C-alpha cells in the first residue's frame, strides 16, 4: 500500500453523523444512528434530536476484507444536533416536514500503515432537508425524504481525520415499518439511504454512489420499554471517478437497542450497541474501518 493511499484511507471517516458514526461507507450518512422505528415520521410539531456516538476502530480492511498490516486503530466521538419540523400540512397524502443536521466531530487515528497519527475536531458538514413525507396506515408507516450535505466544514486532503469531507452529497431516503399485531407491540422496519456525491475539489475525485439499509425488529413491553435487534448493511455501488483503484467499500453490523418514551415530559431516550462483523475497503479511502459503536439518542418534543 502506498503512503498516498494511506493518507486517503480515512479522509471520509467519521466526518459527519446523520444523524452521524459508526462510520459512513463512502459518503456522509453514517449507518447505525437511527435503529428501531426509524422509518416512521413523527406527528405535527417541532422536534430536537441529539445523537451521541462513540465509534472504536479495531482495524482497517482492504478490498478483500483483509486487515492492513501493523497496529491501526482510532476513535470517533460525535454529537449531532437535528431539528425536525413536521408542518401539519400534507402533500401527496403524506404529512410534510423539513429538517437540518449540525454534526460535531472529534476524530483520532493511530495508523502504523501510514507511520503516524492524525486527529481533528470541529463542526462537520451541515445537512439541510427540505422534504420529509410521512404516510401512516393502521399497522404501517412509510417515509420518503430528500436533502443535501453541504461542503461547509474544514477539509485537509493530507489529514484523514478531517472534520469535513471536501465534497457535497445529495441524500435520498426511503423506508417503511410494519406493526405485526393490532396493539403495535411488535414491529419490523427498514430505512434506506441513497447518496450521490459531488467532486472533491482538493483531489479531483468524485466518490461513487452508495446505498445503505438500517433495519430493526422491536418489541414494546407493557411498561413502555422497547427492546430490539438492529443492524445495518452499506455498499458503495460505483467506483470513485478519478481514483487509482476501482475497489468499492462496504460494511455490515448487528446490534441491540433499548428505548423508552416519557409522554408527559415529551422525551424519548434510546441506546444501542453495534458490532461490525464485515468490512471491505476501496475507492477514495483505500481501506475501510471495522469496529464497534455505542449510540445514545435523545428526542425532545418542543
Amino acid at each position: 500500500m502506498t503512503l498516498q493511499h494511506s493518507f486517503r484511507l480515512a479522509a471520509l471517516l467519521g466526518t459527519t453523523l446523520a444523524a452521524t458514526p459508526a462510520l459512513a461507507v463512502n459518503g456522509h450518512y453514517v449507518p447505525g444512528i437511527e435503529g428501531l422505528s426509524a422509518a416512521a415520521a413523527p406527528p405535527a410539531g417541532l422536534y430536537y434530536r441529539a445523537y451521541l456516538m462513540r465509534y472504536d476502530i479495531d482495524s482497517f480492511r482492504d478490498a478483500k476484507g483483509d486487515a492492513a498490516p501493523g497496529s491501526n486503530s482510532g476513535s470517533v466521538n460525535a454529537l449531532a444536533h437535528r431539528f425536525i419540523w413536521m408542518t401539519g400540512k400534507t402533500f401527496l397524502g403524506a404529512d410534510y416536514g423539513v429538517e437540518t443536521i449540525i454534526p460535531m466531530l472529534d476524530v483520532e487515528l493511530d495508523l502504523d500503515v501510514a507511520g503516524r497519527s492524525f486527529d481533528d475536531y470541529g463542526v462537520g458538514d451541515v445537512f439541510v432537508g427540505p422534504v420529509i413525507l410521512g404516510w401512516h396506515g393502521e399497522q404501517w408507516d412509510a417515509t420518503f425524504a430528500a436533502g443535501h450535505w453541504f461542503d461547509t466544514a474544514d477539509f485537509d486532503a493530507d489529514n484523514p481525520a478531517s472534520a469535513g469531507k471536501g465534497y457535497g452529497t445529495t441524500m435520498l431516503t426511503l423506508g417503511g415499518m410494519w406493526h405485526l399485531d393490532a396493539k403495535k407491540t411488535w414491529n419490523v422496519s427498514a430505512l434506506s439511504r441513497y447518496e450521490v456525491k459531488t467532486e472533491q475539489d482538493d483531489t479531483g475525485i468524485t466518490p461513487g454512489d452508495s446505498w445503505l439499509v438500517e433495519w430493526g425488529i422491536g418489541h414494546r413491553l407493557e411498561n413502555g420499554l422497547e427492546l430490539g435487534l438492529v443492524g445495518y448493511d452499506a455498499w458503495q455501488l460505483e467506483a470513485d471517478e478519478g481514483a487509482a483503484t476501482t475497489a468499492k467499500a462496504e460494511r455490515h453490523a448487528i446490534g441491540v437497542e433499548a428505548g423508552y418514551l416519557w409522554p408527559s415530559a415529551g422525551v424519548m431516550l434510546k441506546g444501542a450497541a453495534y458490532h461490525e462483523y464485515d468490512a471491505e475497503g476501496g475507492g477514495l479511502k483505500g481501506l475501510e474501518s471495522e469496529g464497534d459503536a455505542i449510540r445514545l439518542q435523545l428526542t425532545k418534543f418542543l
Side-chain angles (χ1 to χ4, degrees):
M1 178 179 300
T2 67
L3 182 60
Q4 181 183 20
H5 286 163
S6 299
F7 280 141
R8 289 177 178 174
L9 71 88
L12 304 183
L13 296 184
T15 55
T16 139
L17 237 85
T20 210
L23 299 179
V25 66
N26 83 320
H28 276 82
Y29 185 79
V30 175
I33 58 143
E34 290 294 352
L36 297 176
S37 306
L46 181 62
Y47 302 83
Y48 166 72
R49 179 169 290 174
Y51 303 87
L52 180 63
M53 204 153 189
R54 165 81 181 192
Y55 181 77
D56 290 307
I57 302 168
D58 299 326
S59 63
F60 289 92
R61 302 282 167 169
D62 62 18
K64 296 181 179 180
D66 298 326
S71 177
N72 304 286
S73 60
S75 66
V76 180
N77 292 292
L79 173 62
H81 306 280
R82 182 183 183 188
F83 297 90
I84 307 167
W85 178 36
M86 299 304 296
T87 64
K89 300 183 182 299
T90 60
F91 179 71
L92 299 178
D95 296 336
Y96 172 72
V98 297
E99 64 179 326
T100 188
I101 302 167
I102 305 171
M104 302 170 64
L105 283 300
D106 184 357
V107 184
E108 296 182 2
L109 302 174
D110 187 7
L111 307 178
D112 277 359
V113 70
R116 57 173 291 192
S117 297
F118 303 88
D119 64 83
D120 195 16
Y121 65 91
V123 178
D125 296 331
V126 172
F127 178 79
V128 176
V131 177
I132 300 175
L133 297 177
W135 293 267
H136 308 284
E138 289 187 6
Q139 289 187 230
W140 61 269
D141 298 275
T143 299
F144 171 82
H148 189 79
W149 295 93
F150 289 89
D151 179 17
T152 56
D154 292 335
F155 172 74
D156 181 354
D158 293 327
N159 183 4
S162 289
K165 291 185 181 292
Y167 62 85
T169 297
T170 296
M171 185 172 73
L172 304 176
T173 297
L174 183 64
M177 181 168 69
W178 178 257
H179 302 279
L180 301 181
D181 59 323
K183 293 184 178 181
K184 298 184 177 181
T185 60
W186 286 93
N187 69 78
V188 295
S189 63
L191 185 71
S192 65
R193 314 275 193 178
Y194 191 91
E195 294 183 300
V196 181
K197 296 91 176 181
T198 65
E199 181 179 300
Q200 189 176 58
D201 291 337
D202 287 13
T203 64
I205 295 173
T206 301
D209 293 0
S210 56
W211 181 60
L212 64 91
V213 177
E214 296 177 274
W215 55 267
I217 304 171
H219 177 55
R220 191 182 72 253
L221 305 178
E222 290 185 2
N223 62 7
L225 180 67
E226 186 175 27
L227 304 173
L229 185 69
V230 291
Y232 56 80
D233 300 276
W235 300 269
Q236 180 180 349
L237 302 179
E238 299 177 333
D240 295 342
E241 182 179 341
T245 175
T246 59
K248 293 175 284 189
E250 65 178 84
R251 173 178 286 111
H252 307 275
I254 192 168
V256 292
E257 180 175 309
Y260 192 81
L261 170 66
W262 288 268
S264 60
V267 172
M268 181 171 62
L269 182 64
K270 293 183 178 183
Y274 291 85
H275 171 67
E276 291 181 337
Y277 59 86
D278 186 33
E280 296 179 9
L284 183 57
K285 289 177 286 185
L287 299 175
E288 188 75 6
S289 66
E290 184 175 272
D292 300 292
I294 296 176
R295 173 204 9 112
L296 293 176
Q297 181 190 110
L298 170 69
T299 302
K300 173 61 177 174
F301 312 148
L302 302 177

